Amino acid sequence: WYRKMFRVDKKDKGRRIAVLFDGIYSRSDVYVNGQHLGFRPYGFCYQEYDLTPYLNYGAENVLAVRVNNPLEHDSVARWYTGAGIYRHAWLVKTAEVHVASYGTYVTTPVVTAERAEVRVRTSVANEAERDRSVVIFITGSRIIIFSIRIRADLDPSERDLRSRIHIAITIRSYQRIDVFRQLFILCRAG
C-alpha cells in the first residue's frame, strides 16, 4: 500500500483535479478519501483518475494505492519484475475545458531537403457537467481556450487574436474534440 496526505486549496473549487501516474506495476487499485477510483491490471501505461468529486477542499485528503503483483508464472513481466509505483505521480489542476492529458500528437509525414510538413493534433476535453461554448485560438506554438462569455476580457498581450486562427465551437458535456493544424516549413538550399 502507498498513502499520501495532501491538501487542496478552497480556491481550486470549480477546477478539475486529477492524479496522473506515469507507471504502477501491476494490478493497481487507486482510492481517494476511501472512494475507489479504479483498477488497472496492466502496469506499463499511464493511469489518470479524476479526484474532483471526492476532494475535501481546504482540508486533508488521502490518496491510497494498492499494488498486487502475485508471483504466479503468467503474471510475471518479461522486463520489469518488481512491483509498485515506479514512475512519477502528478496532481494535475485544469479548467473544466482543457487540453486533454497526452492530448497533443505531432507527426512529420513529409520531410525532404526542400520542405517539411508538420501536422499537430490537439484533443480538447470538456469535463463539465454541461455543454460549453468556447473559442479556441491557435497562436504560433500555443493553443489558447477561452469561454465565449469571457472573450472580451482577454489579457492585453492576447488582444490581437483576431488575426490568428480561431475556432468557435460548442463541446458537449464530457466529450473531446480534435483541433488540427498543418504547417509547412521551407528549407533554403545551400
Side-chain angles (χ1 to χ4, degrees):
W1 281 92
Y2 295 84
R3 283 187 177 75
K4 173 72 176 172
M5 304 284 289
F6 67 100
R7 294 178 71 86
V8 177
D9 198 304
K10 288 181 182 180
K11 70 179 180 181
D12 288 325
K13 193 138 178 93
R15 298 182 78 185
R16 179 185 175 272
I17 300 176
V19 62
L20 188 145
F21 296 97
D22 285 341
I24 305 174
Y25 192 81
S26 72
R27 292 181 172 85
S28 61
D29 283 290
V30 178
Y31 302 82
V32 68
N33 297 328
Q35 178 68 42
H36 185 251
L37 301 175
F39 168 77
R40 178 70 60 98
Y42 188 66
F44 293 111
C45 57
Y46 83 95
Q47 302 172 47
E48 183 175 14
Y49 298 101
D50 187 5
L51 306 178
T52 309
Y54 313 110
L55 291 175
N56 300 315
Y57 293 89
E60 289 292 323
N61 294 279
V62 178
L63 181 67
V65 179
R66 180 179 182 267
V67 180
N68 180 20
N69 189 17
L71 297 177
E72 289 96 27
H73 178 69
D74 65 339
S75 68
V76 176
R78 180 182 304 172
W79 302 282
Y80 181 76
T81 58
I85 300 172
Y86 66 95
R87 297 201 183 220
H88 294 291
W90 309 94
L91 187 65
V92 181
K93 298 178 185 180
T94 64
E96 289 180 325
V97 178
H98 59 276
V99 174
S101 295
Y102 297 102
T104 302
Y105 185 66
V106 180
T107 60
T108 52
V110 177
V111 178
T112 67
E114 295 79 35
R115 73 181 190 103
E117 182 180 324
V118 179
R119 291 183 186 163
V120 180
R121 183 183 77 199
T122 304
S123 293
V124 179
N126 177 8
E127 302 283 346
E129 292 183 5
R130 57 188 166 79
D131 297 355
R132 295 287 301 270
S133 294
V134 296
V135 176
I136 300 170
F137 291 94
I138 303 172
T139 66
S141 62
R142 298 188 315 149
I143 292 182
I144 305 167
I145 304 168
F146 288 108
S147 168
I148 285 180
R149 64 185 165 80
I150 62 165
R151 184 176 176 193
D153 301 329
L154 298 178
D155 182 278
S157 66
E158 304 293 345
R159 290 199 194 275
D160 192 29
L161 292 173
R162 291 181 304 276
S163 65
R164 298 182 175 109
I165 299 169
H166 71 277
I167 301 163
I169 193 166
T170 297
I171 306 174
R172 303 202 47 88
S173 177
Y174 297 105
Q175 298 295 314
R176 289 183 182 197
I177 62 157
D178 286 339
V179 178
F180 292 92
R181 181 152 191 218
Q182 188 165 328
L183 309 169
F184 294 96
I185 301 168
L186 301 177
C187 303
R188 285 192 214 159

